[in-house]
Amino acid sequence: MTHDDIAAQAAADFRSQFGRAADGVWSAPGRVNLIGEHTDYNEGFVLPFAIDRRTWAAVGLRDDNTARVTSTFSDDEVEIGLSTVGPEQLEGWSAYPLGIAWALGQNGVELAEQHGFDAHIASDVPVGAGLSSSAAIECAVAIALDERWQLGIDRPTLARVGQLAENEAVGAPTGIMDQSASLLGRRDSAVFLDCRSLRSEIVDLGFAAAGLAIVIIDTKVSHSHATGGYAARRASCEAGAAALGVESLRDVGVADLDRAREIMDDETFRRVRHVVTENARVLATVRTLRESGPLAIGEILDASHVSMRDDFEISVAELDLAVVAAREAGAIGARMTGGGFGGAAIALTPLALIDEVTARVGEAFAQAGYTAPEIFTVTPSDGAKREL
Ligand code: GLA
């Protein structure tokens, strides 16, 4: 189905489920992070882009205090009373859309009578691939409610609302990157975001003009940021910052690493070194894209993967194999993307070599006895918008 067809179908499904027309259909994309991993919650730099995989929310206001949500990925209809709902009552997929309503309430929106709504969600962002299917739901619902409730909230603030929903309603202690990419993304471009000031700039990627594409290798190794490793990495970063006497690792530069090595244990030091060097790599990527174009960023992507593999230790064998096989088949740079512990790798690949990369990675996985990966390309696309 084309994206226009999915939007129209979402409106039709809303009508058949709720017995009336939706007020409109809004959509928001998933994202790929080009570089800048685990830097967002350290108030550092990230460079994600919105992708051509989206989530659609058909939304209609009600004249009572009830919110009902349905979706194409579950048979459940979930219904809540808006003024009484707390994050602890939300669970499963409905925590994403309903968590946004709750988080808007935390942001000062009066969720009294007449703020009820019905919403139907459809999506073609793969779930569990590390492409932020969750942020896509949150951002589609956030811009829909912002418009229909006539809130006029700016997009950086809406990103914060999405992050609050993710942190409290879903329970994943994630940063601000995914929602920012989904809300601020622009066709053919990446979002260069300073996660301290929340100032952002659009950076031209020029992949197509340079004859390049981003190949996604979804390893099918599932991950969850609501448990385990993600929170542990975050805690190590906080411990490293505390040992150095700074508010966050944003305040630590490459020149401070010698001192850092002396005052903390080796593991914490390596976590710190990843974040500090990754911030420098984001800045180097932006500079290189502007001065020389995307053909020149391959080595920086490779170095980022090595740092995540060896220092931050968030890669898995499948991701490492995907990166090596893609590079051997001619990708100019490759790295795992997103939070890690599974999910996807990206390979910046000459258009003429996409088939070769796809074949070689598939063969390498088969030889290693791993589950077959899903391999496809994505295009840097526009952020959240109204569709119908
Ligand atoms: C996940 C989180 C983001 C970010 C990345 C790692 O995608 O949702 O906030 O921390 O991991 O860069």
Side-chain angles (χ1 to χ4, degrees):
M1 280 214 276
T2 67
H3 281 182
D4 285 349
D5 290 344
I6 303 176
Q9 187 64 50
D13 287 349
F14 181 100
R15 183 185 283 279
S16 63
Q17 271 152 21
F18 300 117
R20 65 194 174 100
D23 300 342
V25 178
W26 290 259
S27 83
R31 66 97 188 92
V32 155
N33 190 18
L34 185 60
I35 195 158
E37 226 64 85
H38 287 260
T39 46
D40 60 355
Y41 56 78
N42 289 300
E43 300 193 338
F45 302 105
V46 292
L47 191 63
F49 60 87
I51 59 174
D52 52 331
R53 299 291 194 109
R54 304 182 77 85
T55 292
W56 292 261
V59 174
L61 296 191
R62 301 167 55 94
D63 54 13
D64 60 12
N65 194 242
T66 298
R68 294 188 297 178
V69 288
T70 60
S71 73
T72 52
F73 30 82
S74 162
D75 291 336
D76 297 343
E77 174 181 308
V78 179
E79 179 174 325
I80 55 162
L82 271 179
S83 53
T84 53
V85 75
E88 62 289 338
Q89 287 138 266
L90 300 175
E91 55 179 17
W93 69 271
S94 68
Y96 299 98
L98 295 173
I100 289 294
W102 169 81
L104 283 167
Q106 295 298 299
N107 213 54
V109 178
E110 182 59 62
L111 295 181
E113 293 307 314
Q114 281 142 26
H115 266 80
F117 65 92
D118 294 327
H120 174 73
I121 313 283
S123 182
D124 75 350
V125 187
V127 173
L131 300 178
S132 293
S133 55
S134 55
I137 301 176
E138 290 156 4
C139 294
V141 172
I143 61 161
L145 293 180
D146 178 66
E147 185 182 325
R148 293 300 295 123
W149 286 350
Q150 298 181 318
L151 304 177
I153 299 175
D154 61 69
R155 291 204 169 197
T157 307
L158 280 185
R160 279 269 181 248
V161 167
Q163 182 191 10
L164 183 64
E166 183 89 33
N167 293 168
E168 301 297 328
V170 180
T174 51
I176 191 77
M177 171 170 69
D178 307 339
Q179 294 80 6
S180 300
S182 184
L183 287 162
L184 301 173
R186 201 83 63 73
R187 176 183 300 257
D188 295 328
S189 308
V191 179
F192 173 36
L193 177 69
D194 176 339
C195 299
R196 172 166 273 175
S197 67
L198 293 193
R199 269 179 31 106
S200 63
E201 282 173 60
I202 294 299
V203 177
D204 190 21
L205 287 170
F207 289 155
L212 294 170
I214 288 280
V215 175
I216 303 288
I217 302 152
D218 176 6
T219 63
K220 301 279 173 186
V221 179
S222 72
H223 64 286
S224 161
H225 298 325
T227 51
Y230 187 96
R233 294 305 179 279
R234 202 172 165 147
S236 292
C237 292
E238 280 159 17
L244 286 159
V246 292
E247 201 184 303
S248 82
L249 293 182
R250 165 63 176 274
D251 300 312
V252 182
V254 175
D256 300 316
L257 287 176
D258 284 343
R259 185 169 75 91
R261 189 194 294 271
E262 280 164 24
I263 61 172
M264 59 188 76
D265 64 86
D266 179 61
E267 185 180 285
T268 308
F269 169 67
R270 287 185 292 112
R271 306 300 190 245
V272 169
R273 182 167 61 186
H274 165 72
V275 172
V276 170
T277 57
E278 186 79 349
N279 275 328
R281 282 186 289 270
V282 175
L283 300 179
T285 305
V286 171
R287 202 168 48 238
T288 306
L289 281 168
R290 286 178 171 154
E291 288 170 4
S292 317
L295 284 161
I297 66 170
E299 274 178 28
I300 316 176
L301 302 184
D302 291 346
S304 171
H305 186 77
V306 169
S307 179
M308 289 188 285
R309 185 192 65 198
D310 299 345
D311 273 355
F312 218 58
E313 296 181 285
I314 53 172
S315 191
V316 295
E318 288 85 345
L319 287 166
D320 293 339
L321 183 63
V323 164
V324 167
R327 289 285 278 113
E328 282 173 5
I332 66 169
R335 60 186 287 280
M336 54 146 278
T337 186
F341 308 102
I346 57 171
L348 185 60
T349 305
L351 293 173
L353 294 175
I354 293 173
D355 289 347
E356 179 75 14
V357 166
T358 305
R360 288 277 282 276
V361 173
E363 280 160 26
F365 270 59
Q367 256 169 32
Y370 297 154
T371 302
E374 202 153 320
I375 306 177
F376 51 95
T377 58
V378 290
T379 309
S381 299
D382 284 330
K385 61 182 186 214
R386 184 163 182 168
E387 301 274 357
L388 291 173

